[in-house]
Amino acid sequence: MEEPKAVVSKRSLQTYVVAVGLMVMGLALVALCSAAWLQGVEPRWSVILFGLLGVYMVLLGVDEGWLSGLEVTPTHLRIQSFGRWTEHPLPRVEAVDGLRDILGGGIQLVLIASEGEAIRVPLRRYANAGPLAQGLLDALWLKNPQLILMPRLARRLGQPPFGVLAAKKSRR
């Protein structure tokens, strides 16, 4: 019996550059807020608020660079964020759209389920973002051959199957 295939995200150099950039900006903001606190800047709550924003930026950089990932199998999508994996079964997805990711301009797929639920799949700056997207669309197409791809996503990637997780259509 053949083991089911899976496509797993691979971090690129750009992933690490963005992550380190976020961490450096967060640390700089924390340092500025600490200096402002020591100088007695009023109101104190504003210094605390911006300091917490800096801490959040550091944590976001750590997640972006080392604790996030994706795994696509023919039956499930697994998304890792802050070290935790969430698993989403694929059969109930009816449509897919593509958006720009706010963290650096990568693509983000939005899976629209029959219950009205939307799952955002950030492809960000993974080295294999193209095969990840194609593998996910192949897996969705295997579960639902009437899968609806929004026009801008179809223009960018084409129509499944792509041959990553599903056999490619032969052209006759």
Side-chain angles (χ1 to χ4, degrees), residues 18-40:
V18 170
V20 170
L22 280 168
M23 292 168 57
V24 167
M25 286 188 295
L27 289 173
L29 188 56
V30 168
L32 287 171
C33 290
S34 299
W37 178 274
L38 294 175
Q39 291 175 5

Side-chain angles (χ1 to χ4, degrees), residues 5-71:
K5 291 196 256 179
V7 182
V8 180
S9 60
K10 295 177 187 164
R11 294 175 186 92
S12 67
L13 177 62
Q14 186 181 8
T15 304
Y16 293 114
V17 168
V18 170
V20 170
L22 280 168
M23 292 168 57
V24 167
M25 286 188 295
L27 289 173
L29 188 56
V30 168
L32 287 171
C33 290
S34 299
W37 178 274
L38 294 175
Q39 291 175 5
V41 171
E42 291 291 333
R44 294 277 191 187
W45 63 266
S46 65
V47 175
I48 294 170
L49 185 65
F50 283 107
L52 289 174
L53 178 63
V55 170
Y56 177 73
M57 287 175 69
V58 170
L59 292 174
L60 190 61
V62 169
D63 178 53
E64 179 72 17
W66 293 274
L67 301 178
S68 64
L70 290 173
E71 180 182 290

Side-chain angles (χ1 to χ4, degrees), residues 94-110:
E94 292 183 349
V96 182
D97 196 4
L99 302 171
R100 301 293 287 171
D101 192 348
I102 61 170
L103 283 177
I107 190 171
Q108 187 176 77
L109 296 180
V110 180

